[in-house]
Amino acid sequence: MTEHFSHVVRGSGPGLLLAHGGGGGIEANFGPILDDLARTHTVVGPDYPGSGATPRSDEPLTLDGLADSLVATAVSAGVERFTILGYSLGTAVAVRAATRHPERVTGLVLTAGFAHPTNQMRLAVDVWRELLDLGNKELLAKYLTFAGVGFGYLNALSPQELEGALAGLAVPEGAPEHVDLVASVDTRAELGRITVPALVIGTRQDVLVPIGVQRELADGIPGAEFVEIASGHSMQAEARDEWLARIRDFLDR
């Protein structure tokens, strides 16, 4: 049965559906650009199970389930057709939504994305999952900051700023299910069936999802445009203005 997720709706204009990352949420992943996007679009931002106000799932998450529920949430909010802006795990959710609901999806913007985790990514995700099980929040924050923040931004932080970033890193209760889903993603076979305009935004200093993996995602989608920004996986903080400019350029077209 398809669920409707807890969500925010902002703005007016053409539809824009947000698909957040694993271990993240709408506010954490898109908060810095929500108001700007809502100036020109009706933005629907659903939180996955265990993020925001959406109850945690008592069973494993599936890509089909997340894609169907995201689309159902947008439609229930009165947004019938939409571009999907996906981040990290949300890029796979967006791709699956586009192939399962082609009548709804008018375009894709995919940031820091992947079609299938490489061995390097699997090792990173395995460590992430084991740290969640250990329950050591300080160690988890150090690991996610090391893996998730580009070296340029990270090394420019003062000791006090780094300490504040570690202390402020929040992990939603549904993160274990999100991370398990990351490990199982495989959208390679369906990329060729995407017929809507697509922009893939690569994060050049990404440790968690290497830039080559992001380029392969773009190469698999017919006609997809690929651009890079100088950022790690957390481009919301590292390169917010450039990220927004790339999204805005695509949406304006």
Side-chain angles (χ1 to χ4, degrees):
M1 181 177 155
T2 302
E3 300 179 66
H4 291 171
F5 293 156
S6 175
H7 59 282
V8 298
V9 181
R10 301 254 189 100
S12 60
L16 181 63
L17 177 60
L18 308 181
H20 69 73
I26 291 301
E27 186 56 42
N29 293 165
F30 298 105
I33 63 171
L34 263 180
D35 287 343
D36 286 278
L37 295 174
R39 290 197 179 101
T40 54
H41 286 71
T42 301
V43 182
V44 182
D47 281 301
Y48 304 159
S51 287
T54 304
R56 186 175 180 180
S57 176
D58 55 6
E59 55 189 44
L61 301 178
T62 67
L63 215 48
D64 284 355
L66 283 189
D68 291 352
S69 291
L70 246 67
V71 169
T73 299
V75 173
S76 72
V79 181
E80 299 279 339
R81 301 185 78 225
F82 36 78
T83 295
I84 306 181
L85 170 58
Y87 165 65
S88 193
L89 171 62
T91 64
V93 177
V95 165
R96 184 60 53 87
T99 54
R100 284 174 69 82
H101 305 277
E103 76 286 357
R104 300 284 186 193
V105 180
T106 58
L108 295 174
V109 182
L110 311 175
T111 305
F114 58 99
H116 183 64
T118 59
N119 288 338
Q120 179 181 344
M121 286 182 63
R122 286 187 185 282
L123 291 173
V125 168
D126 285 350
V127 174
W128 185 3
R129 187 65 172 87
E130 289 181 32
L131 288 172
L132 284 168
D133 288 342
L134 282 174
N136 186 327
K137 292 182 179 179
E138 293 78 12
L139 189 59
L140 178 62
K142 287 179 180 178
Y143 173 73
L144 290 178
T145 301
F146 160 75
V149 180
F151 60 82
Y153 186 86
L154 181 57
N155 291 330
L157 295 176
S158 69
Q160 294 78 15
E161 288 170 334
L162 177 57
E163 188 177 332
L166 293 172
L169 199 149
V171 177
E173 63 171 1
E177 293 82 52
H178 300 179
V179 176
D180 287 343
L181 182 57
V182 170
S184 72
V185 162
D186 193 347
T187 62
R188 291 174 291 184
E190 64 208 81
L191 295 180
R193 304 206 311 270
I194 292 175
T195 58
V196 295
L199 171 66
V200 177
I201 303 173
T203 40
R204 194 179 305 133
Q205 297 177 9
D206 207 317
V207 174
L208 204 54
V209 183
I211 190 66
V213 175
Q214 303 181 50
R215 195 175 288 112
E216 286 173 7
L217 171 63
D219 289 344
I221 300 173
E225 182 183 355
F226 181 72
V227 297
E228 295 182 14
I229 58 178
S231 168
H233 204 66
S234 62
M235 73 289 137
Q236 305 91 338
E238 300 177 51
R240 180 258 182 207
D241 291 349
E242 188 178 2
W243 182 41
L244 176 63
R246 296 293 192 177
I247 297 167
R248 172 68 63 213
D249 177 62
F250 178 83
L251 292 177
D252 287 349
R253 284 188 267 136

